[in-house]
Amino acid sequence: MIEQALIDDRAVDLGDANLTELELLAERSGINLADGHARQVLTTSQQRIVEGLAELFQEAQRSSVPRLDRQAQTAFLTALGQRRAVACADVLTCYSSSVAMEILARSAHAVGLRRVGLIHPTFDNIPDILRGIGMRLVPLPEELLQAAGPMSDVDVELMFVTTPNNPTGTVLTEDQLARWAAWCAARGVVLVLDTSFRGFDPRAMYDHYAVLDDAGVQWVVIEDTGKLFPSLDLKTGFLAFARNLCLPLRRIYTDILLGVSPLILRLVVALSEDAASGGLASLHRTISANRAALRTTLSEPGLGHWPDPDNRISVDRLALPPGLEATTVAEDLRGRGVQVLPCPKFHWASPTDGERFIRVALGRPEQAVRQGAEIIREYLLEQRGGLS
Amino acid sequence: MIEQALIDDRAVDLGDANLTELELLAERSGINLADGHARQVLTTSQQRIVEGLAELFQEAQRSSVPRLDRQAQTAFLTALGQRRAVACADVLTCYSSSVAMEILARSAHAVGLRRVGLIHPTFDNIPDILRGIGMRLVPLPEELLQAAGPMSDVDVELMFVTTPNNPTGTVLTEDQLARWAAWCAARGVVLVLDTSFRGFDPRAMYDHYAVLDDAGVQWVVIEDTGKLFPSLDLKTGFLAFARNLCLPLRRIYTDILLGVSPLILRLVVALSEDAASGGLASLHRTISANRAALRTTLSEPGLGHWPDPDNRISVDRLALPPGLEATTVAEDLRGRGVQVLPCPKFHWASPTDGERFIRVALGRPEQAVRQGAEIIREYLLEQRGGLS
């Protein structure tokens, strides 16, 4: 009864739902290949860490919280190749990357920034938070960000880039980052990166902080442990920023939190050390195997194609066969017991462009990906039959 | 070195610091009687729960997250006497009560609400978040909220009351709540309660949801597990609201989070069940003993007085002897190794009124309270000598 009531009172209009509302629905039933949280099986060494949670609690109890906080930041950032961060960044540990995002947006608004250039497409809670705070958004297509030619004259005060991008997996290379950092520095534009998916892709593990620091730009980087470690969403976001940054991040931060649980900090230290000593490589194998299972299952002609062949992050896009619309496909698949995300909301400036794509999460047990892929395959085969 | 760098780069101007910045300083050294988080010793049964964290992790892994979410809400709210909540409230589980506060403020602003009546004094992150979002605040003195006479004509669109109030412990009685709920209902004013400290005071455990539901007012209640359970800030805030509420809370919520860790939800279930079966009574004894230790140590004439004799929550105010200012006293005490909060920032509409008070946290091991009180006593004795 309680479960029924819950579902009733959380009913949402699917057509109007944001991506997180669709993800919430996906948590309730069937095979959830919707949200991008880490839900793969714990590795043996991660399992051992989790089995020691009671001891980690005791250790955290005895520790200095500021020291543990800095240890978590350092362990995570260095595991992901961000060695300069420790030297050049102030870092505020947040409950999540979205809370870091909210603090960033509120701080930028507080000093009068309004015009934001934002990568397109990207996960919809980024444009939704920015708009909700009162920002005016200018779409920055991925192609523009990657172009080698002369820099387009974009009139913005803040530039926001998700790299690797969600859902495409597109990575801003070191050269591209250096160019945009110089461009922002010359114009007094604040450059913000969301690197939550960094840990999946070695090409995104060059030292971004060194590039940003050397460029002398005003910069902010949002990091996230939650996409990598399947620790039941015991996670942190990190809001890292240049020491000379003109935004009141610390003040807005302390309006919202005193800090993150020291047990979570201790757990992040342990999981990051594990990541550095083999855990990341293991994660890459898991995601790669799941991606291969998905793509192989859907490899027959006429079932769509894979628009992001180089994508390494824990989600994958399928471009649907002509004639199919993602919103309908996702709803049909939900009816068959598998949850994926339709992509219109990712294309926040031109939603209909997203109707060609669905997004499938890969941070899952391989069996779930295989079963989900099989259901998607059967559905698309039927559609192909119906369309031909 | 890292620790040193941390302290340096987090240096704050004490005169301008908000209360959380002062609490952050307090985490670093000496006896921390500053923040209102639960830092008392775990009870035997709480210790047993924590020792089972690895098993709780496994249970949470196997559970339906929406079901666990509802279980945590129900267990906590019923343990605190809020039986109608399950029937009449939608509840969104947040990382913390401050994140719930941020979501509330953003949602109210999104529908054009601007004039907010806010209890005075209260913890400064409430006015800071509301002002940061763009609200105009009208102070509602505690005496006004408790007056039995005709209702003052306050011109507001939203009314925000912390009960029990922080730092005074003042509780809105059932009659007073019913009157203000009727007043708000008649004027179309949204009534918001922050009841984070409810669990310390049986007088605040009457069923607020029944009163609000019966009044037919548009209401929101922010609840918090973090003030009660010394679980190293593994906690949740709950954003509970009337089913017919005119604010887009769910939409803003899903911009910021998908949900709270199922391990934390499972832990909140266990701690709430323990609270219902003796844990709350034990907590009340602990806080009462710590309050008695503080007040007894500072009972000599000329060391100030206790302006909130009926206060039962986990902080206590000391009214300083004439001639002393709280900002200076708190800074002097920090120099002697004990951290307390000066009260000017609580008096957000008239900070100088707060210079008469310091706030001492009681959710600590009794030994810490005793040692801290002893240092405060010696300091005040010296001051008395110097002043006389």
Side-chain angles (χ1 to χ4, degrees):
Chain A
M1 272 306 286
I2 285 179
E3 191 60 12
Q4 192 52 47
L6 179 70
I7 290 170
D8 287 348
D9 70 45
R10 293 203 166 172
V12 291
D13 173 353
L14 292 184
D16 190 41
N18 68 27
L19 295 167
T20 304
E21 285 171 328
L22 294 175
E23 291 173 353
L24 275 169
L25 274 178
E27 279 191 334
R28 277 177 222 143
S29 63
I31 299 167
N32 169 12
L33 303 181
D35 67 76
H37 292 225
R39 300 179 189 277
Q40 65 273 20
V41 179
L42 290 162
T43 65
T44 309
S45 55
Q46 286 173 334
Q47 183 66 42
R48 211 174 300 129
I49 291 168
V50 165
E51 281 164 9
L53 270 172
E55 289 75 44
L56 294 182
F57 189 99
Q58 284 187 348
E59 282 181 42
Q61 248 179 338
R62 288 193 301 264
S63 302
S64 145
V65 178
R67 183 173 293 126
L68 206 48
D69 193 14
R70 182 48 72 110
Q71 282 173 350
Q73 296 165 3
T74 303
F76 184 74
L77 289 166
T78 55
L80 270 52
Q82 308 306 303
R83 307 200 78 83
R84 180 84 70 90
V86 179
C88 77
D90 276 6
V91 186
L92 297 169
T93 305
C94 303
Y95 298 126
S96 69
S97 59
S98 295
V99 169
M101 179 71 213
E102 172 81 8
I103 293 167
L104 163 76
R106 285 253 267 111
S107 304
H109 193 267
V111 296
L113 303 192
R114 293 293 181 275
R115 294 191 312 283
V116 175
L118 172 63
I119 190 169
H120 189 267
T122 201
F123 195 74
D124 72 342
N125 87 324
I126 299 173
D128 285 350
I129 286 177
L130 289 167
R131 283 172 173 155
I133 295 292
M135 299 300 193
R136 293 189 296 277
L137 304 186
V138 178
L140 304 178
E142 283 188 351
E143 304 76 43
L144 169 69
L145 294 170
Q146 299 191 296
M151 309 286 272
S152 157
D153 224 5
V154 184
D155 179 27
V156 297
E157 296 159 307
L158 187 149
M159 178 168 162
F160 193 106
V161 180
T162 314
T163 175
N165 195 19
N166 177 4
T168 61
T170 304
V171 174
L172 207 63
T173 66
E174 185 160 0
D175 280 354
Q176 288 159 358
L177 178 60
R179 280 176 64 238
W180 282 107
W183 187 89
C184 287
R187 285 158 185 78
V189 172
V190 178
L191 178 56
V192 184
L193 304 180
D194 179 341
T195 60
S196 294
F197 285 90
R198 179 207 297 290
F200 293 105
D201 194 333
R203 296 168 302 177
M205 292 191 207
Y206 64 87
D207 191 343
H208 291 49
Y209 294 83
V211 175
L212 294 166
D213 191 34
D214 290 344
V217 64
Q218 295 251 325
W219 58 265
V220 179
V221 182
I222 294 173
E223 309 267 358
D224 186 8
T225 76
K227 304 294 187 293
L228 296 185
F229 305 137
S231 47
L232 290 187
D233 282 328
L234 293 176
K235 63 182 177 183
T236 66
F238 295 120
L239 186 58
F241 53 101
R243 294 252 158 79
N244 67 345
L245 185 73
C246 61
L247 307 182
L249 294 178
R250 195 180 300 279
R251 178 52 69 103
I252 306 289
Y253 175 86
T254 54
D255 283 352
I256 297 181
L257 68 160
L258 175 60
V260 163
S261 165
L263 175 63
I264 295 178
L265 297 174
R266 182 63 191 85
L267 184 64
V268 166
V269 171
L271 291 170
S272 298
E273 288 172 349
D274 177 67
S277 62
L280 267 191
S282 166
L283 175 67
H284 297 167
R285 286 193 297 274
T286 298
I287 298 299
S288 175
N290 287 353
R291 192 184 308 279
L294 175 71
R295 292 190 179 185
T296 307
T297 306
L298 294 170
S299 62
E300 278 169 74
L303 302 189
H305 69 277
W306 307 98
D308 312 309
D310 287 341
N311 184 354
R312 311 255 181 104
I313 72 171
S314 59
V315 298
D316 211 1
R317 281 201 307 177
L318 174 66
L320 297 165
L324 292 183
E325 293 217 323
T327 304
T328 310
V329 169
E331 222 170 308
D332 289 348
L333 289 174
R334 183 173 299 116
R336 292 171 181 228
V338 61
Q339 318 263 3
V340 300
L341 287 187
C343 289
K345 295 276 180 185
F346 289 94
H347 292 252
W348 53 269
S350 54
T352 50
D353 292 351
E355 284 290 5
R356 290 174 293 151
F357 309 106
I358 59 172
R359 194 195 76 169
V360 183
L362 300 174
R364 300 293 189 273
E366 188 173 339
Q367 186 63 9
V369 175
R370 284 191 185 282
Q371 287 177 354
E374 203 50 59
I375 294 169
I376 298 170
R377 180 176 169 274
E378 279 168 34
Y379 170 80
L380 290 174
L381 282 172
E382 281 177 33
Q383 298 297 315
R384 190 179 65 178
L387 289 171
S388 64
Chain B
M1 274 306 286
I2 285 179
E3 189 61 12
Q4 191 54 46
L6 179 70
I7 290 170
D8 288 348
D9 70 47
R10 292 202 168 174
V12 291
D13 173 353
L14 292 184
D16 190 42
N18 67 28
L19 295 167
T20 304
E21 284 170 330
L22 295 175
E23 291 173 353
L24 275 169
L25 273 178
E27 279 191 335
R28 278 180 220 139
S29 64
I31 299 167
N32 168 13
L33 303 180
D35 67 75
H37 291 225
R39 300 178 189 278
Q40 65 272 21
V41 179
L42 290 162
T43 64
T44 309
S45 55
Q46 287 173 334
Q47 182 66 41
R48 212 173 300 129
I49 291 168
V50 165
E51 281 164 10
L53 270 171
E55 288 76 44
L56 294 183
F57 189 98
Q58 283 187 349
E59 281 181 45
Q61 248 179 337
R62 287 193 302 264
S63 301
S64 144
V65 178
R67 183 173 292 127
L68 206 47
D69 194 15
R70 182 51 70 110
Q71 281 173 349
Q73 296 166 2
T74 303
F76 184 74
L77 289 166
T78 55
L80 270 53
Q82 309 305 303
R83 308 200 77 84
R84 180 84 69 89
V86 179
C88 76
D90 276 5
V91 186
L92 297 169
T93 305
C94 303
Y95 298 126
S96 68
S97 58
S98 294
V99 169
M101 179 71 212
E102 173 80 8
I103 293 167
L104 163 77
R106 285 253 266 111
S107 304
H109 193 268
V111 296
L113 304 192
R114 292 294 181 274
R115 294 190 313 283
V116 175
L118 171 63
I119 190 168
H120 189 267
T122 201
F123 195 74
D124 72 341
N125 87 324
I126 299 172
D128 285 350
I129 286 177
L130 290 167
R131 283 171 173 155
I133 295 292
M135 300 299 194
R136 292 189 296 278
L137 303 186
V138 178
L140 304 178
E142 283 189 350
E143 305 76 45
L144 168 71
L145 294 170
Q146 299 191 293
M151 309 284 272
S152 158
D153 224 5
V154 184
D155 179 28
V156 297
E157 296 160 307
L158 187 149
M159 178 169 162
F160 192 106
V161 180
T162 315
T163 176
N165 195 18
N166 176 6
T168 61
T170 304
V171 173
L172 207 63
T173 67
E174 184 160 359
D175 279 355
Q176 288 159 358
L177 177 60
R179 281 175 65 237
W180 281 106
W183 185 89
C184 287
R187 285 160 185 77
V189 172
V190 177
L191 178 57
V192 184
L193 304 180
D194 179 340
T195 60
S196 295
F197 285 90
R198 179 206 298 289
F200 293 105
D201 194 334
R203 295 168 303 178
M205 293 190 205
Y206 65 86
D207 190 343
H208 291 49
Y209 293 82
V211 175
L212 295 165
D213 191 34
D214 290 344
V217 65
Q218 295 251 325
W219 57 266
V220 178
V221 182
I222 294 173
E223 308 268 357
D224 186 7
T225 75
K227 304 293 187 295
L228 296 186
F229 305 137
S231 47
L232 290 185
D233 282 329
L234 292 176
K235 63 182 177 185
T236 64
F238 295 120
L239 186 57
F241 53 101
R243 294 252 157 79
N244 67 345
L245 186 72
C246 60
L247 307 182
L249 294 178
R250 194 178 301 279
R251 178 53 68 105
I252 306 290
Y253 175 87
T254 54
D255 282 352
I256 298 181
L257 67 160
L258 175 61
V260 163
S261 165
L263 175 62
I264 295 179
L265 297 175
R266 182 63 192 83
L267 184 64
V268 166
V269 171
L271 292 170
S272 298
E273 288 172 349
D274 176 68
S277 62
L280 267 192
S282 165
L283 175 67
H284 296 167
R285 286 193 297 274
T286 299
I287 298 300
S288 175
N290 287 353
R291 191 184 308 279
L294 175 71
R295 292 190 179 185
T296 307
T297 306
L298 295 169
S299 62
E300 277 169 74
L303 302 189
H305 69 277
W306 307 99
D308 312 309
D310 288 341
N311 184 354
R312 310 254 181 106
I313 73 171
S314 59
V315 297
D316 211 1
R317 281 199 308 176
L318 174 66
L320 297 165
L324 292 183
E325 292 217 324
T327 303
T328 309
V329 169
E331 221 170 310
D332 289 348
L333 289 174
R334 183 173 300 117
R336 293 173 180 225
V338 60
Q339 317 264 3
V340 300
L341 287 186
C343 288
K345 294 278 179 183
F346 288 95
H347 293 252
W348 53 269
S350 53
T352 50
D353 292 352
E355 284 290 3
R356 290 175 292 152
F357 309 106
I358 58 171
R359 193 195 76 169
V360 183
L362 300 173
R364 298 294 188 274
E366 188 173 341
Q367 187 63 7
V369 175
R370 284 190 184 282
Q371 287 178 351
E374 202 51 58
I375 294 170
I376 297 170
R377 180 175 169 276
E378 279 168 34
Y379 170 81
L380 291 174
L381 282 172
E382 281 176 35
Q383 297 297 312
R384 191 178 65 177
L387 289 170
S388 64

